[in-house]
């Protein structure tokens, strides 16, 4: 797969267009020629948008900001996969060298009832913020902290917590799941804090509140298909879901 | 008399902050609940300020243009955060951090602010760890440190190459906790378009709901701009795509002085530009300079592969020129040195505008140590390299992956190609010691203000400053103003048309709202032929070429004329499609580019005025024989604070910089 330096691609794009949350959407087809393989997927969209504007047509709306795979804002569903064909990368980090000339690429927004489409390829993921607000924190007001080195944390625990904390809140896990479950996202935060000594005091309460909020937001149930883990750009592991289920058991049956 | 009062407290530098902090008037809890604070921005500065103020009992509203506060540009910071903890027992102290920062800033920062920053730095680490931020640890469970440029101690705390992400998620969780308790109202996907002032005092803002396009009025007793830096004026930078100057610029046009706009930081280690399609540049963290050595071939136009060039034919030019600091010289020095080598014809790669950052030596060194640890006797070179690569991967894995994604080359096998790129802006809104701008009730925190980094920022100091401002400075200094507001409110209690009763019904809000609505319609009605993006690119090129790493008088004069012409063309020929009452990213960008164009002109004027070289500001006319920056302390030891007077018109105000604790000296890293 892929193409070498300096090459150029001719592509057909089928892109989802939807005026706003209430409107019904449909696919629009565009031809692009001379796309450099060194471009990122979003730079290819920049080229397309410039072309549309020059033709007097409205640009395609899509979310993005850092373009470095860390803010979690970009969110395109490409050829049936969140963030496209390459594993472990976000849409903004996907480069055109992952495609061949003549390819048809289908681009859609995340599809989930809990993530309504805002416009074209942009969706509303504020449900994630509300889940964090329900309990995804340690209650410590500014100024209340003890010296940082008074809390010793074994490196392996710190590393494991860091692994879970690497979640960028992009929502690809939800988009990948046939049930629109948010378990991977929620369990990553629950795990991070459950693994750290600082997180112990609120451990039980936290998982209960976060799961309740998750359900209220309309995310589906987890049926262990593992699609979320496979599509997560940050390698958040299914073990987190198992840990959260244990946390939940522990909290429910006291 | 100067219009600038920096309000630096009396007393010795070590005691200024502690004494002042304990003498600030307090606002009692009942009054706090009736005081509303608008925080614009949810990066490290905004999130930490909002959370802390809400914890204290104020009514807080937070604005950000992203779909979630967690996505603020701070999330992308890679390398680390400084604090004078001296956990490594290597001679660090508050004074040393203070000294390094002043010197690193090339003696153009305010002593009192920088000392305060160094003092509170240690509390930041404590706070973040308490929040559950998983900073890197040693096997004994203690926190780990690494080195950054411009210092000789190890005081940088980190979380792999994702320090900003982890710190921001910590601040974001504190913020969301307050949202959950109803103390903060969150306005995401909102863009502040102007501040509203009444009789010269800030009373609120005008914001656009980016989804519906609705224009909104928000009242506040104080407004905190935590809106980040303006590096994207260059078009290509390491900043997030949305980072912009609009909030600060609109405030500037309403009376907030803009300080040192020409102080911009060009970061030495970024992935070089690969083509015209490029939309942004990617940083390779400064922490890599801990373990990488920078070199170019000794021979001009050497076309051999890096790995085929023998050791003795490599020029480790930083180690050669600056033996004491070597690869760890400050950013401005490292960037200029790279430019010098490339301009002289020693650059590498297809474009010849790159130098090598090579990890082979340290990979081997780590490999050997690992082999000893694992009891492997007489390891082969291959074994050593495999073991070493595992260590490097643990430290910088995400950066190496990012590099490979972008360039298609494997940095574990071949050296990275790097070149300087725009990264950070030291200039920003002028603030006094309380972080208040020249407009009453309007504050600026984080990268949006000018205060702590002088003419050059040291690595790992922006995260420190953002969190210092938000967690530990503003919660105190805001009290100075708000306690006076409480007095005013009680005096005006019975007034039927007091601002506290009218709030957004005051006619000033309507006027400001109309102004901004008209502006939006103006963009849409130009119906020109050129895209917003194309103007941004052209602006960036002018500024990069003439107000970038090296500047000279003629170039700056040309740039000013070109930018003025570009502005006229923009306002007559820009094409913005779609409507005002929908999600319209192109319309948002039009407003941002319009402001960048105006800022660009001021940057060039500031650079023209500053007839010296200092930190990131390098005037070709002012250099030593070895090509180092040559300051002029007699004439330019001041902060240039520009007052907006109308289109293309500014008045210069000077804040003299006094060095009472650190002897001002020629910076030397040799
Ligand atoms: C790639 C990269 C790596 C870096 N690494 C490091 C590092 O290792 N160590 C270090 O110390 N520093 C680093 N820096 C610098 C540091 O990240 C920034 O200076 C710092 O994070 C800025 O924080 P802030 O809170 O001031 O602003 P930002 O994080 O930029 O936040 C700005 C906020 O303002 C909001 N906003 C802006 N305008 C408006 C408006 N008009 N209306 C509403 N909201 C608005 C945005 O939505 C956002 O929430 C790095 C910078 C870059 C680019
Ligand atoms: S768990 Fe992975 S896919 Fe889900 S939000 Fe986090 S980073 Fe994205
Ligand atoms: S744009 Fe930030 S992760 Fe893709």
């Amino acid at each position: 797969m892929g193409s070498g330096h300096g090459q150029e691609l001719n592509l057909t794009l089928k892109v989802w267009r939807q005026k706003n949350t209430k409107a019904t959407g449909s696919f629009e087809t565009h031809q692009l020629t001379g796309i450099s393989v060194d471009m990122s997927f979003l730079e290819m969209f920049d080229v397309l948008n410039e072309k549309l504007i020059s033709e007097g047509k409205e640009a395609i709306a899509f979310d993005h900001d850092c373009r470095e795979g860390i803010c979690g804002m970009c969110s395109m569903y490409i050829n049936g996969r969140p963030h496209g064909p390459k594993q472990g990368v976000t849409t903004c980090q996907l480069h055109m060298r992952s495609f061949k000339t003549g390819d048809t690429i289908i681009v859609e927004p995340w599809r989930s009832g809990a993530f309504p489409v805002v416009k074209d390829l942009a969706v509303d993921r504020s449900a994630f913020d509300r889940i964090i607000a329900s309990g995804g924190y340690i209650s410590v007001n500014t100024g209340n902290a003890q010296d940082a080195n008074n809390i010793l944390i074994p490196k392996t625990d710190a590393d494991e917590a860091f692994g879970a904390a690497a979640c960028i809140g992009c929502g690809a896990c939800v988009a990948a799941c046939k049930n629109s479950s948010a378990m991977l996202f929620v369990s990553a935060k629950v795990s991070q804090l459950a693994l750290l000594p600082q997180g112990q005091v609120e451990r039980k309460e936290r998982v209960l509140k976060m799961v309740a909020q998750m359900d209220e937001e309309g995310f589906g149930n987890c049926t262990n298909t593992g699609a979320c883990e496979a599509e997560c750009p940050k390698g958040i592991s299914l073990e987190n879901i198992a840990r959260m289920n244990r946390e939940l058991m522990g909290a429910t049956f006291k | 008399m100067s219009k600038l009062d920096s309000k630096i407290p009396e007393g010795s530098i070590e005691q200024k902050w502690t004494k002042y902090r304990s003498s600030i008037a307090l606002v009692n809890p009942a009054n706090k609940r009736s005081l509303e604070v608008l925080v614009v921005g949810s990066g490290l500065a905004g999130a930490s300020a909002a959370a802390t103020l809400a914890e204290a009992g104020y009514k807080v509203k937070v604005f950000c243009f992203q779909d979630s506060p967690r996505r603020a540009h701070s999330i992308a910071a890679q390398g680390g955060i400084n604090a004078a903890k001296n956990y490594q027992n290597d001679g660090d102290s508050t004074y040393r951090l203070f000294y390094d920062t002043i010197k690193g800033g090339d003696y153009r920062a305010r002593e009192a602010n920088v000392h305060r920053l160094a003092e509170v730095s240690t509390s930041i680490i404590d706070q973040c760890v308490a929040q559950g931020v998983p900073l890197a640890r040693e096997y004994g469970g203690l926190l780990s440190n690494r080195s950054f440029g411009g210092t000789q101690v190890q005081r940088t705390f980190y979380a792999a190459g994702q320090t900003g992400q982890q710190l921001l998620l910590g601040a974001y969780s504190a913020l969301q906790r307050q949202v959950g308790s109803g103390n903060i109202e969150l306005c995401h996907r909102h863009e502040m378009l102007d501040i509203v002032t009444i009789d010269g005092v800030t009373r609120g803002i005008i914001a656009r709901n980016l989804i519906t396009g609705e224009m909104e009025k928000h009242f506040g007793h104080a407004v905190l701009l935590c809106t980040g830096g303006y590096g994207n004026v260059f078009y290509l930078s390491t900043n997030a795509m949305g980072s912009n100057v609009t909030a600060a610029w609109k405030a500037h046009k309403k009376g907030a002085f803009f300080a040192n706009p020409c102080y911009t930081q060009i970061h030495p280690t970024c992935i070089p530009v690969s083509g015209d399609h490029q939309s942004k540049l990617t940083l390779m963290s400064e922490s890599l300079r801990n373990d990488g050595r920078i070199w170019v071939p000794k021979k001009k136009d050497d076309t051999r592969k890096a790995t085929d060039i023998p050791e003795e034919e490599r020029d480790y030019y930083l180690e050669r020129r600056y033996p004491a600091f070597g690869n760890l010289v400050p950013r401005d020095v490292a960037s200029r040195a790279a430019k010098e080598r490339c301009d002289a014809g020693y650059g590498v790669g297809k474009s010849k505008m790159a130098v090598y950052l090579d990890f082979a030596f340290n990979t081997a060194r780590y490999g050997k140590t690992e082999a000893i640890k694992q009891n492997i006797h007489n390891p082969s070179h291959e074994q050593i390299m495999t073991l070493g690569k595992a260590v490097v991967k643990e430290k910088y894995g995400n950066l190496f992956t990012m590099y490979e994604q972008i360039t298609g080359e494997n940095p574990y096998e071949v050296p990275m190609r790097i070149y300087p790129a725009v990264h950070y802006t030291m200039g920003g809104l002028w603030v006094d010691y309380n972080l208040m701008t020249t407009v009453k009730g309007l504050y600026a925190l984080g990268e949006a203000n000018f205060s702590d980094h002088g003419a050059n920022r040291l690595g790992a100091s922006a995260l420190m400053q953002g969190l210092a401002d938000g967690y530990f400075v503003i919660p105190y200094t805001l009290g100075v103003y708000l306690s006076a507001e409480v007095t005013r409110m009680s005096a005006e209690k019975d007034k039927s048309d007091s601002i506290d009763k009218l709030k957004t019904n005051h006619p000033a809000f309507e006027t400001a709202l109309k102004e901004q609505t008209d502006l939006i319609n103006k963009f849409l009605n130009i119906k020109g032929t050129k895209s917003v993006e194309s103007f941004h690119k052209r602006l960036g090129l002018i500024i990069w070429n003439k107000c970038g790493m090296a500047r000279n008088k003629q170039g700056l004069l040309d740039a000013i004329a070109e930018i003025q012409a570009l502005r006229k063309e923009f306002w007559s020929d820009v094409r913005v499609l779609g409507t005002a009452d929908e999600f319209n990213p192109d319309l948002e960008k039009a407003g941002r580019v319009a402001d960048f164009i105006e800022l660009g002109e001021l940057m060039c004027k500031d650079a023209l005025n500053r007839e010296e070289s200092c930190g990131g500001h390098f005037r070709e006319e002012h250099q030593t024989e070895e090509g180092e920056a040559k300051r002029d302390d007699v004439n330019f030891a001041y902060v240039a604070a520009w007052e907006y007077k109308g289109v293309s018109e500014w008045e210069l105000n000077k804040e003299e910089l006094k060095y009472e604790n650190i002897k001002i000296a020629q910076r030397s890293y040799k």
Side-chain angles (χ1 to χ4, degrees):
Chain A
M1 195 178 75
S3 330
H5 274 296
Q7 263 180 279
E8 293 191 339
L9 312 176
N10 299 333
L11 303 164
T12 303
L13 266 103
K14 294 198 165 145
V15 184
W16 185 259
R17 303 295 307 253
Q18 181 173 338
K19 190 105 183 103
N20 53 48
T21 308
K22 291 191 193 100
T24 44
S26 63
F27 283 102
E28 208 175 76
T29 306
H30 299 281
Q31 306 294 335
L32 279 179
T33 53
I35 295 298
S36 155
V37 292
D38 291 328
M39 277 184 201
S40 71
F41 199 79
L42 295 185
E43 284 167 348
M44 185 265 293
F45 259 80
D46 293 342
V47 171
L48 175 57
N49 273 344
E50 283 296 283
K51 179 168 169 265
L52 290 175
I53 293 170
S54 75
E55 291 165 0
K57 296 180 194 140
E58 245 189 87
I60 299 159
F62 62 91
D63 272 329
H64 65 114
D65 199 19
C66 73
R67 294 204 177 185
E68 288 188 3
I70 194 76
C71 73
M73 189 120 173
C74 61
S75 47
M76 291 186 188
Y77 196 78
I78 302 161
N79 287 341
R81 297 183 63 183
H83 295 307
K86 252 192 106 128
Q87 261 203 322
V89 297
T90 53
T91 305
C92 59
Q93 289 180 302
L94 178 65
H95 275 68
M96 296 314 291
R97 67 182 78 92
S98 296
F99 297 89
K100 298 190 304 296
T101 199
D103 277 356
T104 296
I105 308 175
I106 302 170
V107 190
E108 299 168 78
W110 282 178
R111 305 274 191 198
S112 159
F115 290 164
V117 172
V118 165
K119 186 178 177 179
D120 299 339
L121 303 173
V123 299
D124 176 0
R125 285 166 288 192
S126 50
F128 273 9
D129 290 324
R130 291 188 291 272
I131 294 175
I132 299 294
S134 73
Y137 48 74
I138 288 169
S139 299
V140 52
N141 284 0
T142 304
N144 281 349
Q146 56 179 321
D147 185 273
N149 259 351
N150 284 348
I151 311 171
L152 293 182
I153 304 175
K155 186 169 183 314
T156 42
D157 290 0
D159 288 350
E160 213 179 339
F162 174 75
C167 163
I168 57 174
C170 63
C173 45
V174 176
C177 175
K178 65 177 168 51
N179 310 320
S180 276
S181 166
M183 285 289 273
L184 196 62
F185 166 78
V186 179
S187 68
K189 187 48 79 183
V190 166
S191 284
Q192 178 203 340
L193 300 179
L195 281 161
L196 295 171
Q198 306 92 301
Q200 297 313 307
V201 178
E202 295 164 288
R203 191 166 166 180
K204 290 185 174 171
E205 207 186 334
R206 176 180 310 117
V207 67
L208 292 173
K209 283 188 188 162
M210 289 181 76
V211 168
Q213 187 65 34
M214 173 179 86
D215 293 342
E216 198 183 315
E217 296 290 347
F219 291 104
N221 291 325
C222 173
T223 52
N224 291 313
T225 66
C228 52
E229 183 191 56
E231 298 298 351
C232 170
K234 295 294 145 181
I236 303 298
S237 139
L238 281 179
E239 276 171 39
N240 291 300
I241 297 188
R243 185 181 292 107
M244 181 161 94
N245 284 330
R246 289 196 301 273
E247 291 289 314
L248 204 52
M249 295 279 282
T252 322
F253 307 101
K254 283 182 209 178
Chain B
M1 218 195 80
S2 170
K3 291 178 193 164
L4 300 170
D5 178 1
S6 57
K7 304 218 169 77
I8 297 169
E10 293 296 314
S12 73
I13 192 93
E14 294 82 16
Q15 296 199 339
K16 274 186 206 293
W17 174 238
T18 21
K19 274 199 174 159
Y20 181 66
R21 199 179 54 180
S22 5
S23 68
I24 292 173
L26 298 176
V27 179
N28 85 36
N31 286 330
K32 278 183 182 153
R33 261 168 265 140
S34 60
L35 289 167
E36 299 173 46
V37 183
L38 305 182
V39 179
V40 188
S42 63
L44 287 176
S48 58
T52 308
L53 293 170
E55 286 161 10
Y58 295 108
K59 269 177 80 174
V60 178
K61 264 190 208 172
V62 174
F63 299 81
C64 68
F65 60 73
Q66 291 91 348
D67 74 330
S68 163
R70 67 180 286 154
R71 307 203 202 284
H73 165 59
S74 295
I75 200 90
Q78 301 172 349
I81 177 167
N82 289 331
K85 280 284 197 188
N86 195 28
Y87 282 162
Q88 304 305 322
N89 195 26
D90 56 0
D92 203 7
S93 63
T94 302
Y95 184 84
R96 200 178 287 278
L97 176 51
F98 162 61
Y99 175 83
D100 286 346
T101 309
I102 292 280
K103 177 183 172 194
D106 214 357
Y107 305 92
R108 289 293 175 265
R110 207 189 265 157
E111 273 194 343
N113 286 52
V114 177
H115 199 276
R116 174 175 67 187
L117 175 68
E119 282 172 63
V120 304
S121 68
T122 53
S123 308
I124 297 172
I125 302 303
D126 300 341
Q127 184 62 31
C128 294
V129 167
Q131 288 168 344
V133 172
L135 293 173
R137 304 233 160 213
E138 304 292 350
Y139 281 99
L142 296 164
L143 288 161
S144 175
N145 291 110
R146 52 167 58 141
S147 331
F148 255 59
T151 73
Q152 289 170 317
V153 293
Q154 292 204 328
R155 65 160 73 98
T156 306
F157 295 79
Y158 63 99
Q162 286 140 266
T163 316
Q165 180 199 25
Q166 294 309 318
L167 294 174
L168 183 61
L169 293 181
Y172 159 80
S173 69
L175 171 86
Q176 289 302 117
R177 173 172 161 242
Q178 294 305 314
V179 172
S181 349
N183 302 325
I184 292 182
E185 185 188 329
L186 192 63
C187 305
H188 60 112
R189 292 213 202 249
H190 271 66
E191 181 160 25
M192 174 198 130
L193 294 179
D194 210 354
I195 57 164
V196 179
T197 58
I198 299 171
D199 301 327
V201 179
T202 313
R203 293 299 178 198
I205 68 168
I206 301 298
R208 179 166 178 268
N209 175 327
L210 298 180
I211 300 302
T212 63
E214 197 184 331
M215 301 291 278
E216 300 172 351
K217 304 180 269 191
H218 296 270
F219 172 84
H221 291 92
V223 174
L224 275 45
L225 299 185
C226 312
T227 47
Y230 52 86
N232 277 346
V233 65
F234 289 88
Y235 185 73
L236 285 182
S237 86
T238 61
N239 288 11
M241 300 297 288
S243 298
N244 71 87
V245 77
T246 290
W249 195 253
K250 293 290 186 54
H252 172 56
K253 289 169 90 171
K254 282 275 165 79
F257 293 6
F258 209 104
N260 302 331
C262 82
Y263 289 168
T264 49
Q265 178 162 82
I266 316 282
H267 195 295
T269 55
C270 303
I271 302 179
V273 177
S274 76
D276 291 338
H277 59 266
Q278 194 116 16
S279 60
K280 77 157 285 175
L281 294 170
T282 302
L283 173 76
M284 287 290 106
S285 165
E286 180 157 313
S287 57
L288 294 174
R289 284 202 269 149
N290 268 310
D291 284 323
R293 294 176 70 193
I294 294 178
W295 63 275
V296 292
K298 280 188 180 160
K299 210 169 83 197
K300 255 191 200 175
D301 298 317
D302 196 330
T303 50
R304 284 176 293 177
K305 281 200 299 202
T307 39
D308 292 344
I309 301 179
E311 191 58 29
E312 60 282 4
E313 291 177 45
R314 300 175 174 192
D315 176 15
Y316 297 94
Y317 59 88
L318 287 177
E319 298 168 32
R320 169 170 59 77
R321 286 179 67 178
Y322 308 100
F325 281 70
N327 292 295
L328 288 176
V329 291
R331 292 173 175 177
D332 53 335
V333 178
S335 289
R336 272 197 296 279
K339 180 177 189 304
E340 187 277 329
R341 283 293 81 190
C342 293
D343 288 351
Y346 296 90
V348 300
K350 211 167 41 174
S351 65
K352 299 272 166 219
M353 292 306 271
V355 300
Y356 288 128
L357 177 58
D358 197 335
F359 301 93
F361 315 90
N362 282 300
T363 307
R365 188 169 57 87
Y366 286 130
K368 282 181 199 144
T369 316
E370 277 305 297
I372 295 169
K373 271 195 208 161
Q374 298 182 18
N375 257 325
I376 306 175
H377 300 291
N378 299 321
S380 68
H381 178 70
E382 245 159 53
Q383 262 180 314
I384 290 178
M385 292 312 270
T386 311
L387 290 168
K389 277 172 203 165
V391 177
V392 170
K393 186 168 180 194
E394 187 182 334
K395 289 183 131 180
Y396 312 110
N398 69 320
L399 299 173
F400 277 50
T401 311
M402 203 144 72
Y403 183 85
E404 190 171 0
Q405 280 305 322
I406 293 173
T407 62
E409 291 169 7
N410 178 353
Y412 292 102
E413 304 298 336
V414 296
M416 286 183 177
R417 283 174 299 108
I418 50 152
Y419 196 69
V422 176
H423 180 59
Y424 181 88
T425 51
M426 283 75 69
L429 293 176
W430 185 90
V431 289
D432 64 16
Y433 190 73
N434 294 325
L435 304 182
M436 199 198 275
T437 67
T438 49
V439 182
K440 257 194 168 165
L442 181 71
Y443 293 77
L445 281 65
E447 193 173 338
N449 74 26
F450 87 106
S451 79
D452 294 356
H453 308 293
N456 174 58
R457 176 176 69 80
L458 289 183
S461 289
L463 303 184
M464 170 173 69
Q465 183 223 333
L467 290 178
D469 288 358
Y471 283 135
F472 297 106
V473 177
I474 200 73
Y476 290 95
T477 59
L478 194 58
V480 179
Y481 177 71
L482 289 182
S483 55
E485 270 293 282
V486 171
T487 315
R488 181 195 59 77
M489 283 158 77
S490 80
E492 293 179 4
K493 192 162 74 263
D494 301 323
K495 223 170 117 191
S496 63
D497 62 345
S498 80
I499 178 65
D500 312 293
K501 291 212 179 69
L502 288 176
K503 294 198 170 166
T504 58
N505 291 322
H506 190 286
F509 275 89
E510 202 46 50
T511 313
L513 185 98
K514 184 167 179 309
E515 253 174 53
Q516 293 310 313
T517 312
D518 289 349
L519 185 64
I520 281 178
N521 292 328
K522 198 167 160 186
F523 288 128
L524 291 167
N525 288 331
I526 296 172
K527 300 191 193 313
T529 63
K530 299 191 186 86
S531 70
V532 174
E533 194 73 6
S534 70
F535 281 100
H536 193 186
K537 272 193 185 173
R538 284 163 66 195
L539 173 71
L541 217 55
I542 300 173
I543 302 192
W544 175 246
N545 288 331
K546 296 177 174 146
C547 195
M549 261 191 285
R551 300 141 180 206
N552 63 55
K553 186 172 178 185
Q554 193 52 50
L556 290 165
L557 288 170
D558 292 347
I560 292 169
E562 287 169 42
I563 295 169
Q564 287 174 346
L566 190 74
R567 189 185 67 233
K568 291 210 181 82
E569 192 182 331
F570 177 90
W571 285 106
S572 61
D573 199 21
V574 74
R575 171 181 287 182
V576 185
L577 301 171
T579 61
D581 54 3
E582 63 176 334
F583 183 48
N584 189 343
D586 211 36
L587 174 62
E588 293 163 28
K589 179 141 192 188
R592 297 172 190 169
V593 171
D595 294 334
F596 274 140
I597 295 177
E598 295 183 13
L599 164 76
E601 182 176 346
L602 181 62
M603 279 171 70
C604 294
K605 289 199 162 148
D606 185 41
L608 189 63
N609 169 68
R610 193 164 281 279
E611 286 279 357
E612 64 162 350
S613 293
C614 58
H617 168 65
F618 191 74
R619 282 286 299 267
E620 287 166 350
E621 301 93 326
H622 304 285
Q623 50 182 308
T624 64
E625 269 168 28
E626 297 98 46
E628 304 293 342
K630 199 163 130 199
R631 285 196 329 260
D632 175 353
D633 295 327
V634 177
N635 296 301
F636 289 97
Y638 65 76
V639 176
W642 299 89
E643 182 177 359
Y644 185 78
K645 291 284 181 183
V647 184
S648 290
E649 272 179 60
W650 286 274
E651 188 181 303
L652 175 62
N653 293 272
K654 299 177 183 176
E655 179 196 339
E656 298 301 330
L657 290 167
K658 293 189 203 84
Y659 289 91
E660 291 164 348
N661 299 279
I662 290 181
K663 201 170 142 290
I664 191 159
Q666 190 66 38
R667 230 173 24 150
S668 168
Y669 292 96
K670 287 192 195 274

